[in-house]
Structures are given as structure tokens and as C-alpha cells.
Amino acid sequence: MADATTMTAEVTQPLTSIPADGLTELAQKNKDNPADKTLKVKTVCTGKLSRLNNARDLGAFAIDEPPVLLGDNTAPYPSEIVLGALGSCLVVGIQANAAAKGIELTKLEIALEGDINIVSTWGTGDLEKPQIGFTDVRGKVDIDGDAEKAVLEEMVNHANTWSPVSATLSNPMPVSVSVV
């Protein structure tokens, strides 16, 4: 199987821009009502290490573990989903900034990779290792459009700064989990 840097989804049509007027309206609506929004996902264990996750009224999406983590390899595993969430969030941010600047994008692909420490094996392995989870995440953006490279680079950096998922990965925050 190809790694994430060589996998490509075939784009069969030009990229569709985010409507600038819709973006302006959304920004104003959020400015007028700045309250945080609570997102909800329900995860249900369906067997061995596979899970189904439900968000809003959408169909469930599966998560599994790879064989190296004792899974059946039927779906991405949680850390791959995190990288996918980051890439997706960055794409939206870049698209929004392109729309706000009147830039037409013709190509936008993000390849992400992350180094992850798995020696603790969900708290059942080596518990002396101080860092669990990702120790480093790197991305490469392949972007093209009707703007100079420096403008596109600035948009990418700006999107990373303002990405909720990038901020979640970069900034410590409290996480609490309790039994019902």
C-alpha cells in the first residue's frame, strides 16, 4: 500500500471556490454570536478493536487499528483520523482565505505525517515513557492558483495559525472523561 505522501485522490473537475458572499455572511454571523459550539460524537465498540462513530445525523464512520496494534485493518485508526482532520481543516481554511482574497485555486493537496509514540500501548505497556501520542507532525501543501507563490505560502501559514484542529494539537487543553 502507498504511503500518505504518494496517495492521490483523482480530481476530475476544477476546484469549486467557496462563495465570498457566503463567507462574509458566515463570518458576521459568528462575530454577532461568538458563543462556543459544542460538537458531539458517539463512539460504539462493535467488536475486537473496531468502532463506529456517529456525528450529527450523518452515517456512522468506522475506525479500527492496524495489525501492528492488534486490529483487523478494516478502517483508519484514531491517529490517522487526527491527521485527516488536520488536513481537512487546513484545506477549508486555505479555501476560505483564497475566497476572501479573490484567488482561484486550481490544486490543493496536503500530505501529512506524524511521528507517534506507541510504546505505552494504551497504558498497558512501557509507562515510563513521558511523551505519548504524536511527538511531531509535518505537512506539505501542494497548492496552485492565480496568485504568486509568496501569497499562497502566506495563506497556508495563516490557515495553519487559525485552524481549530491545528490549535487543538498545538495547545494544551483539559480533557475529562467519566463513567456514566
Side-chain angles (χ1 to χ4, degrees), residues 44-84:
V44 178
C45 180
T46 58
K48 194 173 168 184
L49 293 174
S50 23
R51 289 83 72 197
L52 287 178
N53 298 271
N54 300 279
R56 295 180 279 134
D57 59 352
L58 303 172
F61 61 95
I63 296 180
D64 196 358
E65 300 290 336
V68 70
L69 293 174
L70 308 177
D72 292 325
N73 208 34
T74 61
Y77 76 105
S79 298
E80 292 169 325
I81 297 292
V82 169
L83 291 176

Side-chain angles (χ1 to χ4, degrees), residues 9 31 73 105 147 167:
K31 187 176 179 179
N73 208 34
L105 297 177

